[in-house]
Amino acid sequence: MITGKGLPVFSGIAEGKIFYLRKHAFKTEQNLSLPDMESEKARFSAARKAADEQLSALFEKVRSEVGEQEAMIIDVQRMMLDDPDFNDAVISRLEAGSSAEQAVDRAGQQFAEFFGNMEDAYMQARSADILDAANRLLHILNGGTAADFQLTEPCIVAADDITPSETVQLDKSRVLGIVTRLGSSHSHAAILARTLGIPTLVQAKLPDGQPLDGRMMIVDGCDGQFYIDPDEQTFDRMRQKKLDAAGRRYGLEELRGMESVTADGKKIELYANIGSVDDVQIALANDAEGIGLFRSEFLFLGRTACPSEEEQFAAYREVLEAMGGRRVIIRTMDIGADKKADYLGFAPEENPALGFRGVRVSLDYTGLFKTQLRAICRAAAFGTAAVMFPMIISVDEVRRCREMLRQVLHELAEQGVLAGNVEVGIMIETPAAVMLSEELAYEVDFFSVGTNDLTQYTLAADRQNPKVEKLYDAAHPAVLKMLSLVAQSARGAGIWAGICGELAADTRFTETLLRMGYTELSVSPAYLLELRKTVRESTMDLISKGGETE
């Protein structure tokens, strides 16, 4: 038996035969005779057109099977094929006498290396997207079609790495698990694997120099372990672990429809985080009591222009009507940092996480902001809506946002356009907002703490940088003290406070958060029933005068 470790991307236990994915070997060497430049340019142009058609079809496949948000990942590659810098790099090599294959290969390697050497983990992950797009072009130039593969039976797919487009083309009925030697937990392939619910390990220490095809493997996505040719004892242990997990999930079903009430009778709102209209059905299937974070910026990504007021209105209205009167909190566009909309023309930034993002964009692009607020207010007539402003660092920002909202409501009323009232809240995700929370609490109806950003800003640890991953701890004493201060400020002003960051789903800290005074927790839909179980076993009666837990 061979054992090894990897970085878990999605939990769960999988067992099955290994199918080792081998990449196509592309012809990229230079011909002995000098190629005709115009002919090679025409071949490159035709390959780009064919690749765009393939990616368009793949986009529709992913959108129908997985969702709009995940399909936007495929659009990233389409944009790369249209990138002027990449195309100029290819053309300059063609004009210097390279073949189309060699020019695409060299340009792809150049740009992939450039992104791979960046310090930002998100930008490093784009290196795989560039190589994926270049390999698609090479495959077409070599006479092939789509760079996919067929599975003849259920199996665990192993590979050096798997590109995003390959991941979404996997036959979900036959893929039991994924294990790769390379890869990042922040890559698009990892995001898609989590969305598809496939137990996955990246950066796995697979054995070298021996065939793996057809051998039996167990993937433990919970502990990051894999077993090749497992013995009977390991089989029994893993199968029991899988049965235990299934039993726990089955036991949670009895909580469906029950109220989220603590053992001492306090009602807690358990909401879902969503990124697209499609996600609302997943939230409802997991018995969400509301939407605590609708990431509206995903409506702006993977496009060539901003969504219109009508597009936004239709999306918000659909979610509000689907939730049937339950509260839906729409975060205004948090464009910037790792969520880029190139059509807005933002200049590159050395440290985008600390740069032009969130409410800073909204207050600079006031026309864009007012269009979004109009769409939200119009949709509010069809349900219970709240609006939430991200990346707040001052009272002045909140007042400017509220004034913009007041103007929009006044304009809609003058125009005779149906609109509804909305609650107003802010994200608490900067240390500045924490320290000003007492003043900010008198400006809004609620707080929602984004523990992901608050943690990285408090600990000066980039949450996308694997080199400081060990320092990133949402339960760090400094972060917990900040959370306690925010809850205390909310109580003092008579408003409610919730949490929509990843810490909200960590049941080890549920009772701590409740005792601080948080009455709403918003998490990924899959965590809702487990969280309800923990809430019903917790109490809130140990809140001390200072907001700290005893």
Side-chain angles (χ1 to χ4, degrees):
M1 180 173 68
I2 300 172
T3 64
K5 290 187 68 67
L7 181 65
V9 168
F10 187 83
S11 62
I13 310 294
E15 62 176 74
K17 291 182 180 179
I18 298 172
F19 175 91
Y20 202 91
L21 173 62
R22 289 175 176 79
K23 308 290 182 176
H24 299 287
F26 299 119
K27 177 184 175 183
T28 60
E29 69 272 9
Q30 180 66 60
N31 295 326
L32 293 177
S33 59
L34 193 65
D36 178 72
M37 180 180 68
E38 293 305 322
S39 174
E40 294 303 290
K41 284 184 177 180
R43 291 181 65 226
F44 171 58
S45 178
R48 281 183 57 207
K49 181 179 179 182
D52 184 70
E53 290 173 353
Q54 289 177 8
L55 289 169
S56 295
L58 185 58
F59 177 89
E60 294 302 326
K61 172 183 169 68
V62 176
R63 181 165 62 179
S64 63
E65 294 184 0
V66 183
E68 183 82 27
Q69 178 181 337
E70 288 72 27
M72 290 177 183
I73 292 169
I74 303 303
D75 243 16
V76 171
Q77 290 189 35
R78 296 177 67 187
M79 288 188 285
M80 287 178 178
L81 291 176
D82 288 331
D83 182 72
D85 292 331
F86 175 75
N87 285 292
D88 287 348
V90 174
I91 295 299
S92 65
R93 285 173 169 81
L94 293 176
E95 292 176 343
S98 294
S99 66
E101 289 89 344
Q102 188 179 47
V104 168
D105 182 53
R106 297 294 185 272
Q109 294 291 342
Q110 173 192 340
F111 278 73
E113 182 178 357
F114 173 75
F115 279 88
N117 288 332
M118 289 185 174
E119 292 185 2
D120 183 85
Y122 178 85
M123 299 307 292
Q124 288 175 358
R126 303 291 69 73
S127 177
D129 294 318
I130 295 168
L131 289 176
D132 199 9
N135 283 339
R136 181 175 294 274
L137 288 171
L138 286 171
H139 195 75
I140 293 168
L141 289 167
N142 275 266
T145 53
D148 60 356
F149 53 90
Q150 300 296 318
L151 305 178
T152 59
E153 62 180 333
C155 61
I156 291 173
V157 176
D160 289 341
D161 201 1
I162 300 180
T163 64
S165 62
E166 290 169 339
T167 304
V168 297
Q169 291 180 87
L170 295 173
D171 184 344
K172 289 180 287 183
S173 67
R174 291 180 173 173
V175 178
L176 304 172
I178 299 175
V179 181
T180 64
R181 298 179 190 273
L182 307 174
S184 160
S185 60
H186 305 286
S187 70
H188 287 325
I191 294 169
L192 288 171
R194 279 192 286 263
T195 303
L196 296 173
I198 301 171
T200 301
L201 304 179
V202 297
Q203 300 176 28
K205 306 299 182 183
L206 290 168
D208 294 316
Q210 54 180 294
L212 296 177
D213 273 311
R215 298 170 71 173
M216 186 61 65
M217 173 184 269
I218 297 178
V219 178
D220 184 349
C222 304
D223 295 333
Q225 296 274 358
F226 67 82
Y227 307 87
I228 298 175
D229 299 330
D231 55 32
E232 284 301 317
Q233 184 179 6
T234 303
F235 261 123
D236 292 342
R237 182 164 53 87
M238 289 294 105
R239 285 171 177 168
Q240 186 59 50
K241 189 172 183 178
K242 191 173 183 178
L243 284 172
D244 291 344
R248 285 194 296 272
R249 287 193 299 271
Y250 180 78
L252 294 174
E253 287 299 313
E254 66 182 19
L255 297 171
R256 191 176 297 276
M258 290 188 179
E259 280 197 309
S260 304
V261 179
T262 63
D264 53 338
K266 306 298 195 310
K267 178 69 174 76
I268 305 299
E269 304 290 344
L270 295 189
Y271 289 177
N273 298 335
I274 65 171
S276 71
V277 173
D278 296 333
D279 292 344
V280 73
Q281 296 305 321
I282 302 175
L284 289 170
N286 284 275
D287 210 25
E289 298 169 357
I291 302 299
L293 174 60
F294 183 174
R295 299 181 178 95
S296 71
E297 59 271 12
F298 285 104
L299 299 176
F300 292 76
L301 303 182
R303 308 169 56 98
T304 57
C306 291
S308 67
E309 179 181 325
E310 291 305 317
E311 285 181 89
Q312 293 186 63
F313 165 66
Y316 304 143
R317 176 177 174 175
E318 185 173 344
V319 172
L320 282 159
E321 289 184 329
M323 292 306 294
R326 284 165 284 191
R327 183 190 281 135
V328 174
I329 301 174
I330 302 168
R331 178 174 70 187
T332 56
M333 55 179 186
D334 189 12
I335 297 292
D338 60 337
K339 291 166 285 190
K340 302 181 185 302
D342 291 337
Y343 55 83
L344 292 176
F346 296 166
E349 296 179 295
E350 284 285 335
N351 194 340
L354 298 179
F356 191 52
R357 59 170 297 196
V359 76
R360 300 167 186 181
V361 174
S362 296
L363 291 176
D364 262 30
Y365 287 65
T366 54
L368 190 64
F369 189 33
K370 290 183 74 172
T371 296
Q372 181 173 34
L373 291 177
R374 282 178 61 91
I376 292 172
C377 291
R378 288 173 58 197
F382 299 90
T384 305
V387 66
M388 180 164 65
F389 306 121
M391 283 296 291
I392 293 294
I393 63 167
S394 70
V395 171
D396 178 66
E397 287 174 332
V398 178
R399 290 175 176 170
R400 289 169 64 192
C401 288
R402 295 207 70 148
E403 173 59 22
M404 203 83 68
L405 179 62
R406 187 197 65 77
Q407 291 175 15
V408 163
L409 285 168
H410 179 70
E411 290 169 4
L412 290 171
E414 282 194 330
Q415 295 165 5
V417 177
L418 182 65
N421 290 318
V422 295
E423 286 183 283
V424 176
I426 58 172
M427 293 278 286
I428 302 289
E429 50 192 336
T430 66
V434 173
M435 301 312 294
L436 292 174
S437 58
E438 187 174 358
E439 294 93 328
L440 290 169
Y442 289 97
E443 303 289 333
V444 295
D445 301 310
F446 66 92
F447 286 156
S448 186
V449 184
T451 56
N452 301 348
D453 273 329
L454 180 60
T455 299
Q456 77 165 342
Y457 293 140
T458 301
L459 303 182
D462 184 350
R463 62 192 178 103
Q464 298 193 77
N465 186 343
K467 292 183 179 179
V468 294
E469 187 173 359
K470 292 181 179 179
L471 300 178
Y472 181 87
D473 177 12
H476 188 284
V479 177
L480 292 179
K481 284 191 175 183
M482 286 190 163
L483 292 176
S484 181
L485 177 59
V486 171
Q488 179 184 346
S489 297
R491 268 198 320 280
I495 67 172
W496 64 267
I499 294 181
C500 62
E502 290 182 9
L503 185 63
D506 192 334
T507 55
R508 295 174 300 173
F509 300 98
T510 300
E511 192 162 50
T512 297
L513 298 176
L514 299 184
R515 289 177 178 178
M516 285 180 182
Y518 288 96
T519 57
E520 181 256 7
L521 301 174
S522 189
V523 298
S524 295
Y527 297 109
L528 283 166
L529 291 180
E530 178 69 37
L531 187 57
R532 179 172 294 160
K533 179 177 183 295
T534 304
V535 165
R536 290 174 63 88
E537 296 170 351
S538 302
T539 60
M540 292 184 66
D541 59 359
L542 296 180
I543 302 174
S544 68
K545 292 182 180 178
E548 303 274 346
T549 58
E550 294 182 1

